[in-house]
Amino acid sequence: MAKPKLVQLFILLSFVYVEIEANIFIDGIYCGQRNCYEVLGVTRQATRAEISKSYRALAKKHHPDKARSSDDKAAAAEIFKQIANAYEILRDEESRNEYNDMLDNPDQFYQHYYRYYRRRVVKVDVSLVIGVTIVVISVVQYFVAHSRYKEAIYQLSMITKYRNNALELAQEQGLFDPNKKVKGKNKSDLKAEKEEIILKVLAENLDIRGGYAKPSIVDIVGIQLVILPYTLYKYIHWYARWVYKYDICKEEYGEEDKYYLIRKHLKYSQGQFEALEDHEKIDLYRQSLWEKDKFQVYQAKKEEESRIKKAGNNRMKQYRRYMKTHGPSRMTFED
């Protein structure tokens, strides 16, 4: 007999819980525990014109400005708020249908709660969000690139060769005079000024390429997206020209196109290829690496050099000995 009683108690508690939860949800949506139609004094069959007429009459009657005492004004303000809220719900056809659905199906409170607040959440323009995101990314991208560039200039200023060249240029341009004595400045101030001049001269005269190149506004994401149609047009035009000149007309490659083919064969990005020293590019060009057969010979040669280098490396020798005696294909008592 104990089990049926426990089941009955559980069912009773479940109903109580659902009822309490439903009341909590209903209190926060639409007109709360009150009926919006009753607040405006109309029936569910009332037309939109009847609802508007009733609202205007009630709003005029219960307007807070008509109350005299502060207590009456507070009470009138609360009533006026309820009237205005009920009118906002019932004057809109979609909102009214959702409210009617809640009256007919009060047990589906989660769905009603979602519908109610979905309509009241501030709608954000997606294009605005995307635009702001692109701007933020662009600013961060430029800041990071500029920081990398400054770090590269600083590291180069620590190298004796570049440092001396910068000082020579600074002296030629009259920016720095080692023999000049400036009154009112101590050694630390003069040293800091000297470092600033070196950094300035290096930044103005060095052409840093690759990942540490001087950032350009054109390279940031935002600008790239703006000029994307033009970029696509240029690429299509370039590709059509390439096919026509070299695939159809069988013309000889120009110097710029030869360098492009070399970079393509090496699988270098534009930045990686530009980061190469001029003499390295010239050496690649002299070997005619734009031709596939010559590039294959070059590649095989480089692979052989790499193999020989690894063979003579002590670490590689130790690794091979280890793999020979303790490799995964061998089973020893140490296992």
Side-chain angles (χ1 to χ4, degrees):
M1 294 296 292
K3 286 186 177 180
K5 287 184 178 180
L6 287 174
V7 172
Q8 291 175 4
L9 180 61
F10 176 76
I11 294 172
L12 178 62
L13 290 174
S14 298
F15 276 115
V16 171
Y17 171 76
V18 171
E19 186 67 24
I20 292 172
E21 192 170 18
N23 289 332
I24 291 172
F25 275 100
I26 290 172
D27 282 339
I29 61 176
Y30 298 109
C31 296
Q33 296 293 336
R34 297 193 64 186
N35 187 300
C36 292
Y37 291 103
E38 292 177 358
V39 172
L40 293 180
V42 295
T43 64
R44 283 187 64 171
Q45 290 73 35
T47 62
R48 188 172 180 179
E50 291 173 340
I51 291 172
S52 298
K53 183 179 179 181
S54 178
Y55 164 71
R56 286 193 294 270
L58 290 171
K60 185 177 180 181
K61 179 181 178 181
H62 297 284
H63 200 282
D65 292 344
K66 289 190 174 184
R68 295 182 179 181
S69 65
S70 58
D71 292 339
D72 291 341
K73 281 190 176 184
E78 183 62 29
I79 295 172
F80 186 83
K81 182 180 177 182
Q82 293 176 7
I83 294 168
N85 181 51
Y87 178 65
E88 286 295 322
I89 292 166
L90 298 180
R91 74 170 184 169
D92 181 76
E93 194 67 29
E94 186 178 353
S95 176
R96 184 178 179 181
N97 290 336
E98 290 177 358
Y99 178 66
N100 288 338
D101 183 61
M102 191 198 77
L103 294 177
D104 296 333
N105 304 283
D107 55 317
Q108 299 176 2
F109 42 82
Y110 289 114
Q111 184 177 353
H112 303 317
Y113 195 81
Y114 166 74
R115 282 180 178 176
Y116 178 80
Y117 281 104
R118 181 194 62 185
R119 294 174 58 83
R120 283 152 183 80
V121 172
V122 178
K123 294 183 179 180
V124 180
D125 188 356
V126 177
S127 60
L128 178 63
V129 174
I130 294 173
V132 171
T133 304
I134 291 172
V135 170
V136 171
I137 292 173
S138 300
V139 171
V140 172
Q141 180 188 5
Y142 186 83
F143 176 77
V144 171
H146 192 266
S147 299
R148 288 167 63 89
Y149 173 70
K150 286 182 67 177
E151 179 64 22
I153 293 293
Y154 174 76
Q155 293 298 333
L156 289 172
S157 70
M158 297 293 104
I159 300 174
T160 305
K161 180 180 73 172
Y162 293 108
R163 189 179 183 85
N164 292 337
N165 289 339
L167 287 172
E168 288 178 8
L169 283 172
Q171 290 180 41
E172 291 175 4
Q173 296 172 8
L175 299 174
F176 176 71
D177 186 357
N179 300 318
K180 185 179 179 181
K181 295 182 179 180
V182 182
K183 294 182 180 180
K185 291 187 178 181
N186 53 35
K187 289 185 178 180
S188 60
D189 292 337
L190 292 172
K191 185 178 179 181
E193 186 177 335
K194 179 182 176 182
E195 293 299 324
E196 287 181 8
I197 292 171
I198 291 172
L199 292 174
K200 181 182 177 182
V201 172
L202 288 174
E204 290 176 351
N205 293 275
L206 278 179
D207 182 19
I208 301 176
R209 299 176 183 179
Y212 292 89
K214 188 175 183 179
S216 172
I217 296 294
V218 179
D219 294 330
I220 64 176
V221 174
I223 302 299
Q224 286 294 311
L225 288 173
V226 171
I227 64 173
L228 180 61
Y230 175 69
T231 305
L232 290 174
Y233 164 76
K234 281 185 64 178
Y235 174 76
I236 293 170
H237 179 268
W238 171 86
Y239 186 75
R241 166 189 163 275
W242 183 280
V243 171
Y244 177 76
K245 285 184 68 176
Y246 303 127
D247 293 344
I248 298 176
C249 298
K250 304 296 182 181
E251 293 184 15
E252 187 179 346
Y253 294 119
E255 183 177 340
E256 185 178 344
D257 296 327
K258 289 177 181 178
Y259 274 115
Y260 166 75
L261 288 172
I262 292 171
R263 179 171 69 82
K264 185 179 177 182
H265 288 159
L266 291 170
K267 297 181 180 179
Y268 282 5
S269 67
Q270 184 71 31
Q272 288 175 318
F273 193 73
E274 288 181 354
L276 295 175
E277 297 289 343
D278 290 338
H279 67 86
E280 292 177 309
K281 294 179 185 177
I282 293 171
D283 182 58
L284 295 172
Y285 185 85
R286 285 175 178 171
Q287 296 182 64
S288 303
L289 297 187
W290 62 86
E291 298 178 14
K292 279 189 177 181
D293 53 345
K294 291 185 178 180
F295 175 76
Q296 289 172 355
V297 173
Y298 168 83
Q299 192 176 33
K301 181 181 176 183
K302 286 294 180 181
E303 289 175 355
E304 181 64 18
E305 289 176 358
S306 177
R307 189 186 66 78
I308 294 171
K309 186 176 180 181
K310 287 180 180 178
N313 187 285
N314 290 329
R315 285 184 176 274
M316 287 300 297
K317 289 179 180 179
Q318 292 173 5
Y319 174 74
R320 284 196 297 272
R321 283 197 296 268
Y322 175 82
M323 291 301 293
K324 186 176 181 180
T325 56
H326 301 285
S329 60
R330 292 180 59 86
M331 183 179 292
T332 66
F333 288 104
E334 294 177 0
D335 296 328

